Amino acid sequence: MKLLVTGGAGFIGSNFIRHVLQAHPEDRVVNLDKLTYAGNLQNLADVAQDPRYGFVHGDIGDAKLVRDVARGVDAVVNFAAASHVDRSLIEPEEFLKTDVFGVYTLLEAVRELRIPRLLHISTDEVYGSVPQGSSRETDPLRPANPYSASKAGADLLVGAYWQTYRLPVLITRSSNNFGPCQYPEKVVPLFITNALDDQPLPLYGDGRNVRDWLYVLDNCEAIDLVLRRGAEGQIYNIGGGHEVENIVLTRQILRLTGKPETLIRPVKDRPGHDRRYSLDSSKVRQLGWRPRHRFDGALEATVAWYRQHEPWWRPLKSGEFRTYYQQQYGDR
Ligand code: NAD
Ligand code: TYD
């Protein structure tokens, strides 16, 4: 297969490209990425010289560029997005531009060039908070912040292109990922790197919000399976099946880094903070997928990765964003 992967220099996209090149020796991958603060070519340094891999610097909202790079591919897999909820509370515009308009641009290119498949990567956050039970693919969307609303907008647009044009589209909605190369603004790498630096771990609200954690390599396997075996027009939930309260996750990170619980700093809650996400993943399991990594071992491996890759994350920790966020939510 010849793939166009968009947003491949980010966390999940880079892990996915590496997975594809390892699992499918005959495949070729072009990675189109804007290299925002979250995009990092170091994430793919080990495959940069692989003749089956190529990189193009650009925006998925650039219709001409997208047509140029998409021509002749067998499938487009879209990871490109503004992806952090906290940023979307402060600067939502980029979320609408990339997560909605960018996806529209990809859909139009796929339509015009008659590309055989578009797999769009979405999130469990489109369902909104789930007090009880687990979300199924047919459940209504109730996004509660600008990030999840923009992702939901794209999902609806993708669905509309299926209904209207029978465009060969698929969607995956995964739960919270963790693993190597995740930008240290998301809770797992933020808390690991803060703990390694003996800095406070800012735990929002009462710390009892629940997320369903999925190791990124398990997600990559599921995405690959859906790409090759999923049915057109279908949505597939991909949940890790490991739901924990943030406070439990925080204590586990402190144990693994060998740091004291006195580093936990309760701070003001995130506005509109979804209480719980939970996915029913029976549909993707019927395709033959199971998460292969146990949560405890995967979290331990993730802590080890951050310990061993300080040169990767150290420069990112001095970014302006945390200061900006602190300005907005002063008591963080
Ligand atoms: P990330 O922020 O680490 O990476 C996003 C990548 O997209 C970066 O390389 C960035 O440079 C690129 N990008 C951003 N805007 C672009 C544009 N306009 N054109 C081209 N490239 C652009 O994100 P991630 O955590 O790897 O998430 C990837 C996808 O998975 C996103 O669509 C996200 O919504 C979804 N998702 C993430 C999680 C998670 O826990 N991280 C969970 C569920 C779904
Ligand atoms: P995050 O990694 O931002 O992912 P998402 O909001 O997409 O689920 O946050 C995961 C959980 O951790 C969420 O309930 C918010 C919480 N959190 C904190 O308590 N402190 C933090 O500094 C961050 C970034 C998140």
Side-chain angles (χ1 to χ4, degrees):
M1 257 181 146
K2 183 172 180 198
L3 301 180
L4 171 62
V5 173
T6 50
F11 165 47
I12 307 177
S14 61
N15 279 286
F16 178 74
I17 289 175
R18 189 172 301 101
H19 167 81
V20 166
L21 292 174
Q22 278 168 6
H24 306 284
E26 71 291 355
D27 279 10
R28 284 173 295 154
V29 178
V30 174
N31 173 16
L32 171 66
D33 196 296
K34 188 178 173 183
L35 297 181
T36 67
Y37 75 94
N40 189 343
L41 288 179
Q42 281 181 46
N43 296 349
L44 291 162
D46 56 329
V47 301
Q49 304 306 323
D50 189 321
R52 299 171 300 150
Y53 169 76
F55 174 70
V56 178
H57 185 201
D59 192 320
I60 59 163
D62 179 341
K64 182 175 177 313
L65 177 66
V66 166
R67 275 166 185 69
D68 287 347
V69 293
R71 195 162 278 113
V73 303
D74 300 305
V76 177
V77 186
N78 177 41
F79 294 89
S83 68
H84 188 39
V85 172
D86 290 334
R87 284 181 190 253
S88 83
L89 306 178
I90 298 166
E91 294 175 326
E93 190 170 321
E94 197 51 45
F95 290 75
L96 293 164
K97 282 186 181 154
T98 291
D99 301 14
V100 183
F101 189 81
V103 174
Y104 156 73
T105 312
L106 294 177
L107 286 163
E108 280 296 308
V110 167
R111 186 157 83 98
E112 188 184 309
L113 300 172
R114 298 179 185 278
I115 292 168
R117 222 156 168 81
L118 168 65
L119 171 53
H120 173 64
I121 307 302
S122 185
T123 166
D124 60 356
E125 304 198 19
V126 297
Y127 298 114
S129 199
V130 188
Q132 272 146 21
S134 298
S135 305
R136 304 199 59 164
E137 289 85 350
T138 46
D139 284 356
L141 306 188
R142 294 198 173 88
N145 59 63
Y147 163 66
S148 50
S150 63
K151 294 295 290 186
D155 283 16
L156 295 175
L157 205 53
V158 170
Y161 273 65
W162 164 249
Q163 292 295 340
T164 310
Y165 307 114
R166 282 292 179 253
L167 209 72
V169 291
L170 304 99
I171 292 176
T172 60
R173 291 181 180 147
S174 85
S175 57
N176 285 60
N177 283 223
F178 67 101
C181 301
Q182 187 169 28
Y183 194 87
E185 64 186 352
K186 307 282 166 57
V187 75
V188 168
L190 177 73
F191 281 13
I192 292 172
T193 53
N194 279 17
L196 293 176
D197 273 352
D198 298 305
Q199 292 298 310
L201 276 45
L203 187 62
Y204 297 162
D206 65 1
R208 302 199 58 191
N209 297 64
V210 171
R211 297 293 183 266
D212 171 7
W213 291 98
L214 172 66
Y215 192 48
V216 65
L217 300 183
D218 287 325
N219 190 19
C220 290
E221 288 183 5
I223 292 169
D224 196 21
L225 184 67
V226 170
L227 174 66
R228 286 157 216 271
R229 305 257 298 279
E232 288 177 7
Q234 295 296 307
I235 299 167
Y236 295 88
N237 288 342
I238 306 170
H242 187 84
E243 292 182 29
V244 275
E245 291 183 347
N246 291 336
I247 179 66
V248 174
L249 175 73
T250 304
R251 290 199 177 110
Q252 195 163 352
I253 287 173
L254 287 169
R255 270 199 307 280
L256 288 168
T257 49
K259 302 291 178 173
E261 293 196 4
T262 49
L263 283 181
I264 298 173
R265 176 174 296 173
V267 296
K268 194 159 101 184
D269 207 357
R270 169 190 281 173
H273 194 177
D274 284 331
R275 192 68 172 163
R276 173 176 176 261
Y277 301 132
S278 176
L279 286 178
D280 179 332
S281 307
S282 40
K283 193 166 161 185
V284 74
R285 282 173 176 257
Q286 276 162 23
L287 276 186
W289 176 81
R290 299 271 177 288
R292 285 197 301 114
H293 298 84
R294 292 177 63 85
F295 176 80
D296 291 354
L299 188 63
E300 198 176 333
T302 302
V303 169
W305 189 89
Y306 281 88
R307 269 191 203 284
Q308 289 155 13
H309 292 81
E310 185 176 339
W312 182 90
W313 57 263
R314 176 66 62 198
L316 309 178
K317 294 285 281 188
S318 55
E320 308 161 349
F321 171 69
R322 291 168 69 244
T323 315
Y324 184 39
Y325 192 86
Q326 267 167 335
Q327 281 167 11
Q328 303 285 324
Y329 300 99
D331 62 349
R332 183 176 181 180

